Structure formats: C-alpha cells, structure tokens
Amino acid sequence: MNSHADSLADSTGTPVPTRYTRTAITLHWLIALLIICNVVLGLSADSLPDDWVRPVVDTHKSIGITVLGLALLRVLWRVSHKPPPLPREFPSWEKMAAHVAHFLLYLLMIALPLSGWLHDSAWKDAATHPMRLFNLFPWPRIGFVMNLDPALKESLHLHDRFGALHTWLGYALYALLAMHIGGALKHQWIDRKSVLKRMVP
Ligand code: HEM
C-alpha cells in the first residue's frame, strides 16, 4: 500500500506513484544479487578444480531456476502496477532508452535462465542424471527436449547450440546492465536528479 508520501495526484486527481512498492524493490534487488552470483559461478565453472565443478554448476542451475520464478513474479507485478514515471525534465530520448532497456532486461531475466534450462535439458546424459533444486528436491528437465531422439539431438548439435545461445544472451545482459547502471549513475551524479532513491528501501 502507498503511504501519502509515496504517491502524488496527476491533473485528473488519479494517484501517481513516486517510488516503487516494497514488493518491487525486494524483487529488484534479490534478482540483481542472484544474477550477479550466477554470472560469477557460470564464468568461473571451467577454471575451477574438478571436484568443484559439479557442485558449482548444480548451484548455478538452481539459482537460475529461482531467478526464472522470481522474474515471472516480477512481470506479474509490472503488469498489475503502474511504476513511478520518469522525471518530466528527462529528455525524451533518455526516457525511451530507459523503457527499451527495462523491457529488454525483463526479456533477458526470462530468456537467459530458459536458455540455460534448454541447454541442460539437451545434454545427452540428462535423463540418467536427474537435476535437483539446491540438492533438496528433484527438478524436471524440459521433457520435450530431453526426450528427443539422441541421434537427432546429436545431429542438430542441440546441446552446443543452446549453450551458445546461453552465452550470447549473457553478453547481451552485460551490455544492458552497463547501460542500466550507467544511466542510474548519470542521473545520480551528473544530472543530480536521482531515480535510484525510488528503488531503495
Ligand atoms: C540468472 C540466470 C542465469 C544466468 C545469469 C546465467 C549465466 C551464465 C553464464 C555467464 C555462463 C557462462 C557462459 C559462457 O561464458 O560460456 C553460464 C553457463 C552455464 N549455465 Fe547459466 N545462467 C543462468 C541460468 C541457468 C540455468 C537456469 C541453467 C540450467 C538449468 C543454466 C545452465 C548453465 C550451464 C550448464 C552452463 C555451462 C557451465 C559449464 O561451464 O559447465 N544456467 N550461465
């Protein structure tokens, strides 16, 4: 619920929020933290000692599935709430760039874990090595992909292709995060018109 200070009224008297709700703030920072953990785990997996690789990749998969669930909740929040509008004095190209970046970030929060899940489901040994979420309970693979004929999977190089997609979506994420964080810091330090304070508790 918005307190009086968290919303203003527009010219028609409709309340316009001035900051994000507690739910939106919690989801934003929790997802950000989990994504950073997963980038570190994903990038370091290949350079770790052999007996670390399995637990690290398994943790990476569990965190990624958690991000997918939280991202879906976040999309539900977004379609059911009006976010606080960007300050009127921002130039329109900057508002447009922010909206495009936010939309693409929502897409990536879903597409990145999904591509990892596809990559893992296309692994030739997926059926004989069940996945467990945080080693607590079994978690399904994407059955349609896992149960494809092994020869077809092999000839289409599905595992490698989904792996490459996962890597490329990772590159897109780095570029968008640079824009997103760069934009927030520009408003904070150069324009001196903070939008960051709307997203902190
Ligand atoms: C927040 C979501 C996720 C992020 C940000 C993420 C990020 C990454 C990154 C940066 C890499 C290294 C890619 C490279 O440089 O080639 C990677 C590798 C990988 N990811 Fe993800 N990922 C996510 C979700 C998932 C999910 C849900 C799964 C599977 C269920 C998964 C499975 C894998 C696997 C198997 C690898 C290869 C690890 C290895 O080197 O053996 N990822 N991921």
Side-chain angles (χ1 to χ4, degrees), residues 72-94:
L72 292 172
L73 285 179
R74 202 161 162 199
V75 169
L76 280 180
W77 181 91
R78 182 61 182 78
V79 294
S80 56
H81 293 76
K82 219 173 166 53
L86 289 169
R88 225 171 307 184
E89 54 267 47
F90 282 6
S92 48
W93 71 265
E94 225 168 326

Side-chain angles (χ1 to χ4, degrees), residues 169-181:
L169 290 176
Y171 297 153
L173 176 79
Y174 310 147
L176 275 166
L177 282 184
M179 240 180 102
H180 183 65
I181 298 169

Side-chain angles (χ1 to χ4, degrees), residues 2-155:
N2 285 326
S3 73
H4 182 68
D6 290 346
S7 69
L8 294 170
D10 68 8
S11 55
T12 63
T14 316
V16 178
T18 54
R19 37 183 296 110
Y20 284 90
T21 64
R22 211 170 351 163
T23 309
I25 294 174
T26 308
L27 285 171
H28 176 277
W29 293 109
L30 186 58
I31 291 175
L33 183 72
L34 293 177
I35 286 183
I36 290 167
C37 289
N38 243 16
V39 168
V40 172
L41 296 182
L43 290 179
S44 54
D46 285 342
S47 38
L48 292 170
D50 282 354
D51 48 348
W52 281 57
V53 174
R54 244 2 316 144
V56 163
V57 174
D58 287 345
T59 307
H60 174 91
K61 293 180 197 174
S62 298
I63 292 179
I65 294 292
T66 308
V67 168
L68 181 60
L70 293 172
L72 292 172
L73 285 179
R74 202 161 162 199
V75 169
L76 280 180
W77 181 91
R78 182 61 182 78
V79 294
S80 56
H81 293 76
K82 219 173 166 53
L86 289 169
R88 225 171 307 184
E89 54 267 47
F90 282 6
S92 48
W93 71 265
E94 225 168 326
K95 286 191 203 161
M96 179 58 81
H99 290 315
V100 171
H102 295 162
F103 177 76
L104 292 176
L105 281 167
Y106 279 112
L107 267 188
L108 275 181
M109 280 186 278
I110 292 171
L112 195 57
L114 204 55
S115 65
W117 198 7
L118 283 165
H119 172 53
D120 190 48
S121 303
W123 177 37
K124 65 178 173 32
D125 295 330
T128 49
H129 292 72
M131 181 184 157
R132 292 175 65 77
L133 204 68
F134 294 108
N135 214 11
L136 294 174
F137 48 84
W139 186 261
R141 297 295 196 335
I142 299 172
F144 166 72
V145 174
M146 184 177 76
N147 299 325
L148 284 174
D149 175 21
L152 181 68
K153 259 191 276 189
E154 184 69 37
S155 69

